[in-house]
Amino acid sequence: MAFKGRKSSNKNPPFFSHEFVIQNHADIVSCVALLFVVGLMIQATSPYAYMFIALHHNSTEQTNVESVVRYTYGLKDVCVTFFYFLICIVIHAIIQEYILDKISRKLHLSKVKHSKFNESGQLLFFYGMSIFWGGHIILKENLLLNFSSLWEGYPHTEMVFMFKFFFIIQLAYWLHQFPELYFQKVKKEEMPEKICYATVALIFISAAYIFNFTRVGVCLLVIHYISEEMYHVARLIDFVDKEEKGRKLGYVVWHATFVLARLGSVMLSVLTFWYGLTSVSSSNTGGTPVPVGDFNTPTVRIGALAAVVLLQVYLMFNFITDLLRQWREISQTTSIKKLTASANNNNKAKHAKVKKHDSKKNHKEYDELTEVDQNTKKNLKQRNVKSK
């Protein structure tokens, strides 16, 4: 499968130039990923290729055939994350080429709106997939109805296949955002915000994965992704809806979802790290040895809670400042419109007064003439009209 890429000119760029790599990056990356797949078919390279494609660190005891396969984490997860990092780049190019580019051509967007449309379209697919996948894990692990399972049985070192694969894909996706800055020709002024967002996501997901907070991590990710999904839906409606009928409704729904997501994240974090894990740690202090992977210490708990709460406060602060800025701009534009409208009305009133005054003056001058002069003036006007 070949990808057309976005060509800036009709001339083919030279091999291994920046433009050549940007236009054909999906083909190059897909060929690299295909090498790992072909390596599975060769006996000499199959163990190395298997290390990059399949999940590792199986911790299941094969006592019976029907036992559920469970995994832990380890160093081999870095190899798996790299392979699916390549797959994320290929999928990104597929969505861009065959879906977003075709839609954006019909909308005739400007350059600024075109880049925002592409960003929202890509993240809309990812957030939607993550919400569906994470929601399936929450329901299957019974985390929604049984909140105590978020901390009971900690450390949660063992995960089922789809649970671990979810975190691997999350890490791979946010890693692939860094080369996409180069492939998508992102402007320098837009890079710091995107780099900061991807870095924070990587730090929080990696921390939840390494410190065995995967259960509360998947819940917090789903809550956050729901609010982000609503934001990008509202922004896409803003681009598509030219009459602005659904624009206000979309942003109102996003505002409500954003505030609820911040409150829900803080409440869930306090419930888990401040109350739940504290009770678990106090029950494990009876001289029993600390299990492997147990990070349930006061320092880790307070640090994790502080990190989540500070992130929610930061997001809420930016949200409020953006709203205040938008309201200020709207009030300024409305005041300017009112001033211009009042100025136009004053000009019209003055013009009408001048016209009325001139007509009264002409009528007065006409009445002051004698009857013979009035008849001659009428005859002169009629002659001028006929001559025209």
Side-chain angles (χ1 to χ4, degrees):
M1 180 173 59
F3 299 93
K4 297 177 184 178
R6 287 176 290 176
K7 298 181 180 180
S8 59
S9 62
N10 295 325
K11 296 180 180 179
N12 293 324
F15 285 103
F16 303 111
S17 63
H18 290 288
E19 194 64 29
F20 176 82
V21 173
I22 291 170
Q23 288 183 13
N24 303 284
H25 73 274
D27 292 323
I28 296 169
V29 173
S30 60
C31 289
V32 174
L34 191 62
L35 290 176
F36 293 101
V37 179
V38 173
L40 289 173
M41 304 177 187
I42 304 171
Q43 188 175 2
T45 58
S46 60
Y48 302 102
Y50 184 78
M51 188 185 299
F52 283 87
I53 295 174
L55 297 184
H56 301 284
H57 305 289
N58 188 345
S59 63
T60 306
E61 296 180 1
Q62 299 295 333
T63 55
N64 52 4
V65 181
E66 296 181 355
S67 61
V68 179
V69 180
R70 294 187 178 274
Y71 298 87
T72 59
Y73 65 85
L75 290 176
K76 291 182 179 179
D77 293 339
V78 177
C79 301
V80 181
T81 304
F82 174 74
F83 176 76
Y84 289 101
F85 157 81
L86 300 176
I87 299 301
C88 287
I89 294 176
V90 177
I91 295 174
H92 188 113
I94 292 172
I95 295 172
Q96 184 66 46
E97 179 65 30
Y98 295 102
I99 299 176
L100 298 179
D101 283 348
K102 291 183 178 180
I103 297 173
S104 61
R105 287 192 199 103
K106 294 180 181 179
L107 295 176
H108 303 290
L109 300 173
S110 62
K111 288 184 178 180
V112 176
K113 287 187 177 181
H114 186 264
S115 63
K116 290 182 180 179
F117 176 82
N118 291 335
E119 180 189 5
S120 295
Q122 293 286 348
L123 290 173
L124 188 72
F125 281 98
F126 171 70
Y127 289 143
M129 180 271 296
S130 299
I131 291 167
F132 177 78
W133 194 349
H136 175 71
I137 292 171
I138 291 170
L139 293 175
K140 195 172 182 180
E141 297 290 327
N142 197 22
L143 303 178
L144 185 63
L145 301 176
N146 186 16
F147 279 109
S148 60
S149 60
L150 294 174
W151 56 83
E152 286 181 352
Y154 183 85
H156 308 131
T157 55
E158 295 183 347
M159 298 170 282
V160 295
F161 176 84
M162 294 304 291
F163 206 155
K164 179 172 181 174
F165 195 49
F166 174 80
F167 277 91
I168 294 294
I169 295 299
Q170 295 295 316
L171 293 171
Y173 183 85
W174 291 112
L175 273 174
H176 108 284
Q177 291 284 2
F178 295 103
E180 285 296 336
L181 299 174
Y182 171 70
F183 295 145
Q184 300 297 324
K185 295 182 179 180
V186 178
K187 296 179 180 179
K188 289 183 179 180
E189 55 268 20
E190 297 178 0
M191 282 188 181
E193 183 180 356
K194 296 178 184 294
I195 291 171
C196 180
Y197 193 90
T199 304
V200 170
L202 278 172
I203 291 171
F204 275 82
I205 295 169
S206 302
Y209 188 64
I210 293 170
F211 291 110
N212 294 317
F213 297 137
T214 51
R215 293 186 181 181
V216 66
V218 70
C219 294
L220 290 174
L221 280 176
V222 169
I223 292 171
H224 177 69
Y225 286 167
I226 289 172
S227 66
E228 293 295 306
E229 179 85 355
M230 291 298 105
Y231 167 68
H232 291 289
V233 167
R235 195 156 77 160
L236 288 175
I237 291 173
D238 190 10
F239 294 147
V240 175
D241 190 11
K242 295 181 179 179
E243 297 180 357
E244 297 186 358
K245 291 181 179 179
R247 176 177 175 273
K248 291 182 179 179
L249 179 62
Y251 280 111
V252 167
V253 173
W254 169 59
H255 293 163
T257 310
F258 185 88
V259 175
L260 291 175
R262 304 288 74 80
L263 292 175
S265 299
V266 172
M267 290 171 63
L268 186 62
S269 301
V270 171
L271 185 66
T272 303
F273 294 109
W274 190 259
Y275 294 103
L277 290 174
T278 306
S279 62
V280 173
S281 65
S282 61
S283 61
N284 289 338
T285 57
T288 58
V290 178
V292 178
D294 189 358
F295 298 96
N296 191 6
T297 61
T299 305
V300 175
R301 286 198 307 269
I302 294 172
L305 179 61
V308 175
V309 172
L310 286 175
L311 178 63
Q312 307 308 315
V313 171
Y314 174 75
L315 293 173
M316 198 68 194
F317 175 76
N318 286 342
F319 174 74
I320 293 171
T321 51
D322 287 340
L323 278 182
L324 292 175
R325 179 180 55 79
Q326 290 175 6
W327 289 342
R328 200 178 297 114
E329 290 175 355
I330 291 169
S331 62
Q332 285 178 357
T333 52
T334 51
S335 62
I336 289 169
K337 285 181 180 178
K338 286 180 180 179
L339 288 173
T340 53
S342 62
N344 291 329
N345 291 330
N346 290 331
N347 290 330
K348 286 179 181 178
K350 286 180 181 179
H351 189 65
K353 283 181 180 179
V354 170
K355 266 191 171 182
K356 192 175 181 182
H357 180 71
D358 292 341
S359 61
K360 283 182 178 179
K361 187 178 179 182
N362 293 331
H363 187 68
K364 188 177 179 182
E365 289 177 354
Y366 182 78
D367 289 339
E368 288 176 353
L369 294 174
T370 58
E371 188 175 352
V372 176
D373 293 334
Q374 289 178 6
N375 291 329
T376 53
K377 197 168 186 179
K378 281 183 182 180
N379 293 330
L380 287 171
K381 283 183 180 180
Q382 288 175 1
R383 287 177 187 175
N384 289 330
V385 171
K386 286 180 182 180
S387 62
K388 285 180 182 180

